[in-house]
Amino acid sequence: MRDHLEELVGARVESVRDLGSSHAWTLHRATLGDGREVFVKALPDGHSSGVFEAEVAGLRWLADAGPAAPVAQVVAADERMLVLPWLPSEPPSADAAERFGRALVHLHADSPGAFGAPWDGYIADLPLDDTLDDRPWPRWYAERRLEPFLRRAARHLGPSDIRLFEQVIDVIEDLAGPPEPSARLHGDLWSGNVQWTGGAAMLIDPAAHGGHRETDLAMLALFGCPHLDRILAAYNESFPLSDGWRERVPLHQLHPLLVHVTLFGDSYRAPAVEAARTALTLR
């Protein structure tokens, strides 16, 4: 790994500290001979996939929104290794949360013009169908996110659970609220992918694509995010959300919950089913 990292970054590696693993890859903190510290994700020898290519494409695509985009830079990458700057953690502050809310507006307001993305997507190590589509968001969400992951999660769901999700898919146009243009989304915006550093928040580990901006905000709420009320207030002040957005949060959480059912099984079944029931009350 050290030889591979040196070749990739073009600098001597002074030290590498192992940080554990996530999915199929290992995590590391490295110090380079030029003084830089970097964060490294590495796949084992002989193991390759499109995960890192998708992550790099997503980070660079999010950064295309401009210098205010709160996105980690890519130091170097290939199919088996991804290198980012080391971002020292700090406690999140209310001021940083407000800045983050406004920075999300900067991303979301830069519409890519279609839903999906021009690369093969992943969330964790699961493939996403990011085929570009200029149809309205509800049908895209149903066909590219809910239906595929309902099939993946089905072994952990009962027949009545599956029928409930199918009901949501059947009437999704009635649940989705006013039409919205596509927004430049992080796509996996749970609090663990928000790195608080340098008085601000930086985004890592995206499943980036053109989607509905309420999806990112609903994901922030799914597992809790520090100062979420300040983030949302700053966001809504700069880029007001459509009426009823709070009631639509469970609809936007259905996909990440199905992802979690797929990855982790029965422990996420109940919240996924409850979100589907709640989403149906929007009719």
Side-chain angles (χ1 to χ4, degrees):
M1 179 211 153
R2 184 184 292 251
D3 292 344
H4 189 177
L5 178 57
E6 288 184 339
E7 181 180 354
L8 199 59
V9 300
R12 187 177 72 258
V13 174
E14 294 285 355
S15 65
V16 178
R17 178 180 159 200
D18 294 338
L19 302 175
S21 62
S22 177
H23 304 291
W25 46 89
T26 55
L27 310 175
H28 312 270
R29 178 179 181 176
T31 302
L32 306 182
D34 56 15
R36 287 179 294 165
E37 287 197 299
V38 294
F39 174 72
V40 182
K41 297 169 73 169
L43 284 166
D45 289 343
H47 188 122
S48 64
S49 75
V51 173
F52 292 167
E53 291 96 324
E55 185 170 344
V56 169
L59 287 168
R60 290 175 172 161
W61 180 78
L62 292 171
D64 285 345
V71 184
Q73 274 188 324
V74 178
V75 174
D78 64 12
E79 70 279 1
R80 291 201 297 113
M81 187 172 285
L82 172 61
V83 186
L84 304 176
W86 180 260
L87 301 173
S89 297
E90 65 186 23
S93 68
D95 287 346
E98 290 181 6
R99 285 191 288 272
F100 178 40
R102 291 189 288 270
L104 277 180
V105 167
H106 187 81
L107 279 185
H108 291 172
D110 187 38
S111 174
F115 298 101
W119 60 82
D120 294 331
Y122 284 84
I123 187 164
D125 54 359
L126 300 174
L128 290 170
D129 182 354
D130 273 345
T131 304
L132 288 168
D133 196 329
D134 58 6
R135 290 180 299 167
W137 176 79
R139 192 45 45 191
W140 178 88
Y141 184 56
E143 294 178 7
R144 308 292 186 194
R145 293 297 185 260
L146 297 185
E147 288 177 351
F149 279 85
L150 180 58
R151 290 194 296 271
R152 286 177 175 272
R155 67 186 186 277
H156 301 295
L157 301 170
S160 62
D161 302 333
I162 292 171
R163 284 194 296 273
L164 187 65
F165 281 96
E166 289 172 342
Q167 280 183 272
V168 172
I169 290 167
D170 288 343
V171 299
I172 195 163
E173 286 86 358
D174 299 330
L175 312 179
E180 289 255 355
S182 63
R184 206 173 285 253
L185 296 194
H186 177 280
D188 190 13
L189 196 53
W190 72 289
S191 59
N193 287 340
V194 180
Q195 182 74 12
W196 300 93
T197 183
M202 297 292 286
L203 302 182
I204 58 174
D205 292 348
H209 65 278
H212 195 303
R213 63 192 179 117
E214 291 176 13
T215 298
D216 265 357
L217 303 181
M219 189 68 178
L220 275 178
L222 184 56
F223 301 115
C225 182
H227 303 292
L228 181 60
D229 56 338
R230 303 292 284 269
I231 296 169
L232 295 176
Y235 183 102
N236 204 27
E237 181 181 348
S238 300
F239 193 10
L241 292 154
S242 299
D243 289 347
W245 69 270
R246 290 186 186 276
E247 288 71 30
R248 289 188 293 273
V249 165
L251 176 66
H252 290 271
Q253 291 177 341
L254 286 181
H255 173 244
L257 284 167
L258 285 172
V259 169
H260 277 71
V261 174
T262 300
L263 288 171
F264 305 114
D266 293 345
S267 58
Y268 284 94
R269 176 196 158 273
V273 168
E274 182 59 29
R277 284 199 190 98
T278 304
L280 283 171
T281 67
L282 295 169
R283 283 182 294 179

